[in-house]
Amino acid sequence: KADNHKKLTGSLSENKIRLIGLRKYTGGNSVEKILGYCDRNHLPCNQWNPDDIGLIVFTSGTTGKNKAVMLTHKNMCSNLFLSFYLAGQYYLSRASNKYSTVAVLPVHHLLQFTTGVQCPIYVGCPICIGRGKRYLTQSIKQFQPSILILVPSVIEMIRKKIWAEARLNNRESKLIRAMRISDFFRKIGIDLRYFLFSDIHKVLGGNLRTIIS
């Protein structure tokens, strides 16, 4: 570790980048100790302009060429409040005293960063760190999330797996019939999905309220 740290500081020095170890100066790396150190030493708090660039994210370019996207502080706050307005109620699902989300997408993915990181932190919802899309099923069973942030391709993967399991167990016609019954009763304000699709719900952790994409 010492050798790696030396190489890193040497590389940064060559590029005139200063590396400051907070633990060395504050006596710890917890938020409380760092804030306490700043308060005792009367360190100024910079005032940011809402229109200043706060984040530059590289995107692979789903709808065009790959590029660097510049987001202002105002952009990120707007994303946070919109995410809370649309998804906050699902993070706070306490039907079984279990409410959490699993970070499946990379944190640098804007949907994950805003709706899957900023929003749950804002409402105080635990964020469980999964091992990626490959281990999605195991992560869901382990953490039993109340909400998932997924891209359409992952949702399609889950859908195909559900239908494949239904065909394998000769339950495809039963699943189709359950969907028709559910659609009929939902039209008159009765939600039977947790009852009709209990087996699927258990596979998805048993506490899932919604999926945002």
Side-chain angles (χ1 to χ4, degrees):
K1 291 183 179 179
D3 291 339
N4 291 336
H5 185 270
K6 188 175 181 180
K7 291 179 181 179
L8 174 62
T9 53
S11 175
L12 293 175
S13 297
E14 292 176 3
N15 292 280
K16 298 182 180 181
I17 299 175
R18 187 181 180 189
L19 176 66
I20 300 177
L22 291 176
R23 188 169 186 176
K24 176 181 177 181
Y25 294 96
T26 64
N29 48 16
S30 69
V31 175
E32 291 79 5
K33 289 183 179 180
I34 293 173
L35 292 178
Y37 172 86
C38 295
D39 185 54
R40 290 192 302 274
N41 290 275
H42 306 290
L43 296 180
C45 179
N46 292 327
Q47 298 296 320
W48 299 101
N49 187 321
D51 294 319
D52 286 344
I53 296 175
L55 183 67
I56 300 178
V57 182
F58 176 80
T59 171
S60 57
T62 305
T63 58
K65 295 181 179 180
N66 45 354
K67 61 185 78 70
V69 177
M70 297 179 290
L71 297 179
T72 65
H73 296 288
K74 185 177 181 180
N75 290 150
M76 290 187 285
C77 288
S78 296
N79 288 338
L80 167 59
F81 294 135
L82 179 60
S83 297
F84 175 72
Y85 177 77
L86 295 175
Q89 58 177 317
Y90 300 109
Y91 281 114
L92 298 175
S93 169
R94 292 185 171 85
S96 58
N97 293 321
K98 294 181 180 179
Y99 58 107
S100 64
T101 183
V102 177
V104 178
L105 301 175
V107 177
H108 61 265
H109 192 288
L110 288 180
L111 177 64
Q112 179 65 52
F113 179 70
T114 54
T115 310
V117 175
Q118 285 184 309
C119 188
I121 289 176
Y122 183 68
V123 300
C125 172
I127 304 173
C128 305
I129 307 300
R131 298 174 62 188
K133 292 186 290 185
R134 181 179 300 179
Y135 302 96
L136 176 60
T137 303
Q138 294 92 320
S139 297
I140 289 176
K141 287 183 178 179
Q142 179 180 358
F143 299 119
Q144 300 178 336
S146 57
I147 186 170
L148 284 175
I149 312 299
L150 302 174
V151 291
S153 61
V154 178
I155 298 175
E156 179 64 15
M157 179 185 70
I158 295 174
R159 188 191 71 83
K160 288 182 178 179
K161 189 171 183 179
I162 290 173
W163 282 106
E165 288 290 330
R167 283 190 289 269
L168 183 64
N169 295 286
N170 296 317
R171 302 180 66 179
E172 186 175 12
S173 59
K174 183 179 179 180
L175 181 56
I176 293 174
R177 187 164 57 251
M179 291 174 65
R180 290 173 178 171
I181 294 173
S182 174
D183 290 342
F184 173 78
F185 278 97
R186 287 184 68 191
K187 290 178 181 179
I188 57 176
I190 300 175
D191 191 348
L192 298 176
R193 287 177 294 178
Y194 289 104
F195 172 73
L196 295 171
F197 310 107
S198 59
D199 291 341
I200 297 175
H201 196 58
K202 288 177 182 177
V203 173
L204 296 175
N207 193 45
L208 188 63
R209 302 290 296 175
T210 195
I211 296 175
I212 295 180
S213 178

